[in-house]
Amino acid sequence: MSKLSSTPSEIIIIGGGVMGLSTACALVQRPQYSNSSITILEAAPAVPNGQGASVDTSRILRADYAIKPYTRLVTAAREKWQDVSHDGWGGEGRYHDAKLLLTAEPGTEGHVDGYLEESLENLKELAQSGEYAFKPQDLRELSDRNAVARESLAPGCSGNFGYVNDQCGWVNAEACVKYAYQKARRLGGDRFKVRTNTLVKQLLYQTNGKNLGGGVRCTGVELLDGSCVDADLVIVAAGAWTPSLVDVQGRAAATGQVLAYMPITNSEQKAFNASPIYFNVSRGMFMLPPHDNELKMGRHGFGYQNPTKVTIPRPTPENPNQSVEATVSVPRTDLPILRKQRRLARTSCLRCSQAGKIGASRKLGPTGDFLVDYVPHSSGLFLATGDSGHAFKVFPIIGDKIADAIEGKLDPELQDLWRWKTDAPNTFQGTDDGTRGGRRGMILEQERRGRGQVAGRI
């Protein structure tokens, strides 16, 4: 990671989701940016963007990871989420306590042996350190299928072994995005702006003069209407739309993930009230405790890709306007969900009265690690993306980590995890973070033709 040679006067953030808003919140609070203009460019008519992966009824806040830095990061963020004061991150009903039941089934397709065990060991180590309020008694190991069934309190939950983590919860995702937006506006004042209905067509580049060290610099963006916006620093936090703006092939891709929202009766709501958050890391299936007579479940899978030909800038000092045609996966929000996925949702929760809304989240990142770094071939261009659906857990603190990375002072452990990988494969092979279920390499159009469809979205 490099760092800024001087404080930028004009900063553009592309995308008003978790990464974009949290970065804005962090920057407007740092004295060195007191004279900087910070503008979010959002393609949607409003923030929150209803088509973005950040906007949802609920998001799980688990610190259960096989990689220690993520365990610590989410645990630190949890202390912010638990501030339920009026102006706290968890206030006004945004945060809800809930225990987590994490299970596994060795030999299941998609399962990475050892993930659950390593996650448990990381939590034990953290609990014994005394660094946080998390304690050893908050963890209970489950040795067999019967113990898992007793803890689940819900049909469709499976697993040969696992554990319960009492220090977990969930948040109202859409309400949290609104909270972050209002916080950035309040703290940023006149120097913070959000431009909605503003679709970025492409990034703009120019060749630096010899007195600036040569090379290529990103100078701003061209919008779909043909107008241009200049900037000293461009931060791309566009989530699943990132691959259509920056060449990240082999490092990140957009995939469609199926979520089911099922209406339940009052009696079913009462029966499910005491149920934990459930996550089977072998199958990728998860389910949240219901609220407002609605039950959410889904599959944390390898997802569907939607290959589309796009033109991506690939600037060089000799030709800063050079671009190439590439095939990348881009989001689709106007398509019916596949019949197989609807059946999977219904059979995983047999007591639901009927199938309800169907949604999708878009995820990125071949390893599940974030991509938070400068783009090496162009100065003035920074990426904050590739979070594979995990960034929401650290919404209250991820902006400060991104700001540290921009300034070149991110702690080395996270810097190594989130750096621009020079050894990335040529193509995206699917996210391997140890918790994905289902098949790899599913192409949306092929699956639609082969398996039929029903009402819904993906």
Side-chain angles (χ1 to χ4, degrees), residues 315-346:
T316 65
E318 296 74 27
N319 184 5
N321 297 313
Q322 175 178 277
S323 61
V324 296
E325 189 176 77
T327 299
V328 302
S329 181
V330 298
R332 289 286 302 272
T333 58
D334 60 340
L335 297 177
I337 196 172
L338 304 182
R339 190 183 306 277
K340 179 179 179 180
Q341 295 298 334
R342 180 161 174 165
R343 285 201 307 267
L344 180 64
R346 299 183 82 171

Side-chain angles (χ1 to χ4, degrees), residues 14 16 21 25 35 70 76 127 149 189 220 233 236 244 285 295 373 407 434 455:
I14 304 174
L21 285 172
C25 284
N35 293 319
Y70 289 111
L233 175 64
V236 180
S244 61
M285 301 302 299
L295 185 67
D373 200 355
E407 296 169 12

Side-chain angles (χ1 to χ4, degrees), residues 225-418:
D225 64 8
S227 63
C228 298
V229 183
D230 297 330
D232 304 299
L233 175 64
V234 176
I235 302 170
V236 180
W241 285 268
T242 299
S244 61
L245 294 173
V246 181
D247 185 3
V248 292
Q249 291 194 53
R251 297 174 179 84
T255 63
Q257 305 288 337
V258 177
L259 303 174
Y261 303 83
M262 302 182 182
I264 58 177
T265 65
N266 289 334
S267 60
E268 289 169 334
Q269 169 86 38
K270 184 177 180 181
F272 277 123
N273 270 341
S275 63
I277 299 168
Y278 165 75
F279 186 16
N280 184 316
V281 296
S282 301
R283 299 179 181 273
M285 301 302 299
F286 65 88
M287 183 164 55
L288 285 89
H291 64 285
D292 298 333
N293 293 101
E294 186 175 75
L295 185 67
K296 173 186 171 182
M297 62 90 61
R299 188 169 212 178
H300 197 58
F302 293 103
Y304 298 94
Q305 294 192 50
N306 179 41
T308 304
K309 287 187 178 181
V310 299
T311 300
I312 305 175
R314 193 172 286 174
T316 65
E318 296 74 27
N319 184 5
N321 297 313
Q322 175 178 277
S323 61
V324 296
E325 189 176 77
T327 299
V328 302
S329 181
V330 298
R332 289 286 302 272
T333 58
D334 60 340
L335 297 177
I337 196 172
L338 304 182
R339 190 183 306 277
K340 179 179 179 180
Q341 295 298 334
R342 180 161 174 165
R343 285 201 307 267
L344 180 64
R346 299 183 82 171
T347 56
S348 294
C349 188
L350 301 177
R351 292 176 65 181
C352 291
S353 56
Q354 57 181 310
K357 296 178 290 184
I358 303 293
S361 62
R362 273 78 59 187
K363 305 181 187 300
L364 294 149
T367 62
D369 292 319
F370 302 179
L371 178 52
V372 178
D373 200 355
Y374 285 95
V375 177
H377 61 254
S378 175
S379 61
L381 179 58
F382 191 90
L383 292 179
T385 188
D387 63 277
S388 298
H390 298 295
F392 211 105
K393 302 176 182 68
V394 292
F395 201 168
I397 64 174
I398 187 60
D400 274 313
K401 301 300 182 183
I402 294 170
D404 286 346
I406 290 171
E407 296 169 12
K409 59 183 185 182
L410 182 65
D411 54 272
E413 199 169 38
L414 293 178
Q415 179 179 322
D416 184 60
L417 284 173
W418 297 349

